[in-house]
Amino acid sequence: MSSALRDRSRLALVSVMLTWLVLFIPFTAANAVMLNGEDVPLHRISADECRLCHMEIYEQWAGSMHAKSSAINDPIHRAFYKQVVGSPEAEDVRTKNGSYPVCLKCHAPNAAQEMKTKLDDVPAFSEGVNCVSCHRLKEFKGTRLPNGKLQLGIDAYVMAENCQGPSGFPASFEEHAAQATAGETENPHHQRPFVSIDEDVEMALPLEANPELLKTSAACLGCHDKRNNSHGVPLCSTGDEYVHGKTHVSCQSCHMPISGGFADHTMGGGHDEATLRRALIMKIETEKQNDTIQTRVKIKNQQPHKVPTGAPFRNMMLQVTAYNRDGAVVWRNYEKNPMMEDPNSYFHLVLLGDDGKPTSPPKAKSLGADNRLEPYETRTLTFDIPAKDVALVRAEMNYSLLWPGLKKALSFLPEHLLEAKKVAFAESRLH
Ligand code: HEC
Ligand code: HEC
Ligand code: HEC
Ligand code: HEC
Ligand code: HEC
């Protein structure tokens, strides 16, 4: 059954109960939603409550990094959070200078709403960026204050106490509403008390149309624009890259494509192989000249942001390999370490410490070299390969979430977070 149908049959059933329930359940206070007869602030509503009707969107979200963004659920974030801030299971945790941990304003926005730090307290905190984290965003104020200071995550937004939707009341909605309210159509559907059939839950959830926010990049930039470490060094700057990319294409058009009749909430990035495979176009050309094969590998970034974008330790390595007729390797651009053997084939950002040597994000004092692909850039790398015995040249681009040094330091992480993923591939046969 499609999700729309499932909603419909559910709602038909619900409507029978609603005709009498509506008479007894009072409408909610303006600053809360009604759950099981109690006023609950919207930021404490778990994704489980939305799952009752939005099953497919729930499943997509549950598999996304948004659902794993808190230090309870993301092992990489957890490792850094514990190092820089402290325990995600304790209350009143503060940073060394006594301030509330800024991380939570993006990674656990519902806890940040109450300045709480014990993330296992309620599901809506540990869930990280859950349904209401985004569907409460009312207005984007920007990430930079007039005095140059940053306001990040939920601080960059005016937050609503009712649910914000991209279109308000979709066409199919009228039909549901008419059924559910049995003739009382003047009240919109998300404003009626709901009863779930699976569990004994009643809910009233006012919904407001907000296309300016939800259909534009403003829905993302409060958290994805930029972030500095405590020394003011920019660690992530997807938003700045995007401005530099001079595009009118929204983040949603790639990261929330319409699929199965609604906006997909999978929101793949560096953790998702399928998203990574779309990022680049890679081509290889070979030309034999005397004793060498001149090889050109052309790489085009299709995005209005850098690749890799996001966290500073994301990186890519281009492995170029020449094989003989029997499939044995006769040449390689690097054996083990492209950083030393072929730096142009290692796409990464360097962060520098006090001593001018590469260091980790929390310790960085300045930015070093950055040879990640610029927005929409096409880059050509050339290789002179000794021609003897070569029958085939292959280029492979591999993406890693972490720098090689960090992989070693965090070797306790699950294997799938440490493995490199193949994102592009091209080969040329010699005659
Ligand atoms: C009892 C069923 C029910 C529950 C529970 C429910 N919704 Fe909905 N919701 C609907 C129906 C029905 C629609 C309209 C049809 C559609 O878009 O699928 C809708 C539409 C929406 C829309 C789209 C509105 C637009 O502008 O296009 C959003 C956003 C939304 N819901 C968010 C949520 C969130 C967040 C939760 C949990 C806090 C939630 N809903 C819980 C039934 C429900
Ligand atoms: C309230 C803050 C917030 C908002 C709003 C937000 N995100 Fe995120 N997003 C995060 C956080 C935090 C993570 C990282 C989770 C982690 O890796 O721990 C993330 C992860 C992602 C990832 C996956 C990155 C990876 O490592 O695989 C993508 C893609 C993404 N977001 C896209 C979007 C898009 C598109 C929007 C707007 C429609 C958006 N986000 C809105 C906070 C937010
Ligand atoms: C990272 C932010 C983010 C999170 C988390 C998120 N949404 Fe959304 N959602 C959006 C945006 C942005 C849109 C509008 C997409 C568009 O129309 O361009 C949207 C659209 C929707 C719609 C309308 C879909 C359609 O195309 O008709 C529904 C329903 C919805 N969300 C429900 C949910 C539910 C339920 C959850 C949690 C399981 C959830 N959302 C989590 C950002 C988010
Ligand atoms: C043309 C399609 C496209 C557009 C538009 C786009 N992205 Fe991406 N994005 C991708 C692809 C493909 C990847 C995977 C490659 C990578 O990680 O760099 C990606 C990766 C990401 C990641 C993953 C970073 C990580 O650490 O894993 C984030 C976050 C992200 N995009 C956010 C955004 C935001 C925010 C916007 C809007 C300002 C946006 N993207 C616009 C295609 C797009
Ligand atoms: C402005 C919002 C914001 C703030 C503040 C923020 N982050 Fe993030 N963080 C993100 C987003 C968005 C991503 C995922 C996409 C990307 O890579 O840009 C992310 C990704 C990460 C990752 C990589 C996670 C993974 O799964 O690979 C780590 C680690 C991390 N953040 C640690 C922290 C720590 C520690 C703090 C606080 C000191 C913090 N972040 C503050 C938005 C933020």
Side-chain angles (χ1 to χ4, degrees):
M1 201 166 27
S2 81
S3 68
L5 280 174
R6 197 153 38 220
D7 279 348
R8 200 158 302 175
S9 56
R10 236 166 230 276
L11 286 161
L13 251 167
V14 165
S15 68
V16 180
M17 297 144 100
L18 269 180
T19 29
W20 61 269
L21 258 173
V22 169
L23 300 172
F24 298 102
I25 299 175
F27 273 85
T28 62
N31 61 349
V33 297
M34 180 69 83
L35 184 65
N36 287 335
E38 274 180 58
D39 278 354
V40 182
L42 189 53
H43 69 266
R44 279 191 171 239
I45 297 288
S46 158
D48 275 343
E49 310 298 351
C50 317
R51 175 175 170 268
L52 300 172
C53 303
H54 299 289
M55 275 221 244
E56 282 177 53
I57 290 183
Y58 174 89
E59 294 299 331
Q60 294 169 343
W61 166 83
S64 77
M65 283 315 291
H66 287 133
K68 296 179 203 133
S69 60
S70 81
I72 304 279
N73 294 326
D74 175 2
I76 299 183
H77 174 55
R78 185 186 179 85
F80 279 89
Y81 187 83
K82 287 184 85 168
Q83 187 198 336
V84 188
V85 180
S87 165
E89 283 99 4
E91 203 52 270
D92 295 325
V93 174
R94 293 294 179 266
T95 58
K96 275 181 216 103
N97 62 19
S99 55
Y100 180 78
V102 63
C103 324
L104 303 177
K105 298 193 172 180
C106 301
H107 284 265
N110 297 323
Q113 192 67 46
E114 296 181 19
M115 305 274 273
K116 291 276 170 62
T117 60
K118 186 169 161 50
L119 303 182
D120 55 354
D121 212 17
V122 289
F125 294 0
S126 59
E127 280 168 1
V129 183
N130 72 354
C131 317
V132 292
S133 304
C134 291
H135 289 287
R136 284 178 67 226
L137 304 178
K138 189 169 169 67
E139 198 188 311
F140 182 47
K141 297 186 285 184
T143 54
R144 208 177 270 285
L145 290 163
N147 66 7
K149 278 199 166 175
L150 298 181
Q151 50 180 5
L152 301 175
I154 55 169
D155 289 355
Y157 293 100
V158 175
M159 304 299 283
E161 286 305 339
N162 53 5
C163 216
Q164 305 290 299
S167 50
F169 307 106
S172 59
F173 192 83
E174 295 291 306
E175 208 181 299
H176 295 314
Q179 274 183 356
T181 55
E184 294 176 56
T185 46
E186 75 265 24
N187 287 307
H189 201 62
H190 255 275
Q191 287 186 354
R192 282 289 179 200
F194 286 117
V195 180
S196 122
I197 315 143
D198 299 351
E199 291 155 58
D200 207 13
V201 175
E202 314 147 5
M203 183 153 65
L205 193 64
L207 179 68
E208 191 177 39
N210 192 347
E212 290 90 349
L213 191 114
L214 282 151
K215 288 185 185 172
T216 67
S217 305
C220 319
L221 289 177
C223 302
H224 286 278
D225 189 24
K226 52 167 91 53
R227 137 164 146 70
N228 294 349
N229 71 5
S230 60
H231 309 295
V233 177
L235 298 180
C236 314
S237 33
T238 301
D240 289 337
E241 294 161 18
Y242 175 80
V243 170
H244 187 69
K246 293 197 177 73
T247 183
H248 294 285
V249 180
S250 70
C251 316
Q252 285 90 327
S253 48
C254 290
H255 287 287
M256 300 188 79
I258 299 298
S259 165
F262 55 87
D264 189 289
H265 282 60
T266 311
M267 293 199 223
H271 285 77
D272 182 54
E273 218 161 329
T275 304
L276 289 168
R277 278 201 303 270
R278 301 190 85 178
L280 307 175
I281 295 173
M282 194 161 89
K283 281 166 90 175
I284 188 168
E285 285 165 10
T286 51
E287 198 181 328
K288 196 166 169 191
Q289 285 187 349
N290 304 324
D291 294 344
T292 55
I293 299 167
Q294 280 202 346
T295 303
R296 277 179 302 280
V297 181
K298 238 189 214 177
I299 308 150
K300 177 164 174 47
N301 173 11
Q302 298 223 89
Q303 278 60 239
H305 53 58
K306 291 193 185 189
V307 171
T309 187
F313 29 76
R314 310 290 196 231
N315 66 86
M316 294 192 300
M317 295 181 184
L318 176 70
Q319 178 91 74
V320 181
T321 314
Y323 297 88
N324 68 13
R325 219 173 275 272
D326 305 323
V329 174
V330 293
W331 182 92
R332 247 189 183 152
N333 61 333
Y334 65 87
E335 287 300 327
K336 267 204 170 124
N337 188 344
M339 220 176 335
M340 313 297 289
E341 301 170 54
D342 184 13
N344 289 339
S345 294
Y346 181 35
F347 301 82
H348 72 305
L349 167 69
V350 182
L351 299 175
L352 300 173
D354 264 339
D355 53 2
K357 291 208 177 106
T359 187
S360 71
K363 292 190 194 132
K365 289 285 173 66
S366 63
L367 289 177
D370 179 3
N371 75 337
R372 296 174 297 170
L373 295 164
E374 294 293 329
Y376 300 128
E377 181 188 350
T378 301
R379 196 176 301 178
T380 306
L381 298 186
T382 55
F383 302 87
D384 285 339
I385 302 173
K388 191 171 177 305
D389 298 337
V390 174
L392 178 85
V393 184
R394 176 181 293 164
E396 248 178 58
M397 189 69 95
N398 294 302
Y399 177 102
S400 287
L401 291 169
L402 300 167
W403 294 319
L406 266 180
K407 284 191 193 180
K408 279 203 195 104
L410 304 176
S411 59
F412 55 84
L413 289 172
E415 187 52 34
H416 73 274
L417 297 175
L418 298 169
E419 261 168 13
K421 300 180 191 90
K422 193 188 293 178
V423 302
F425 172 90
E427 56 184 34
S428 167
R429 219 163 267 281
L430 287 112
H431 304 287

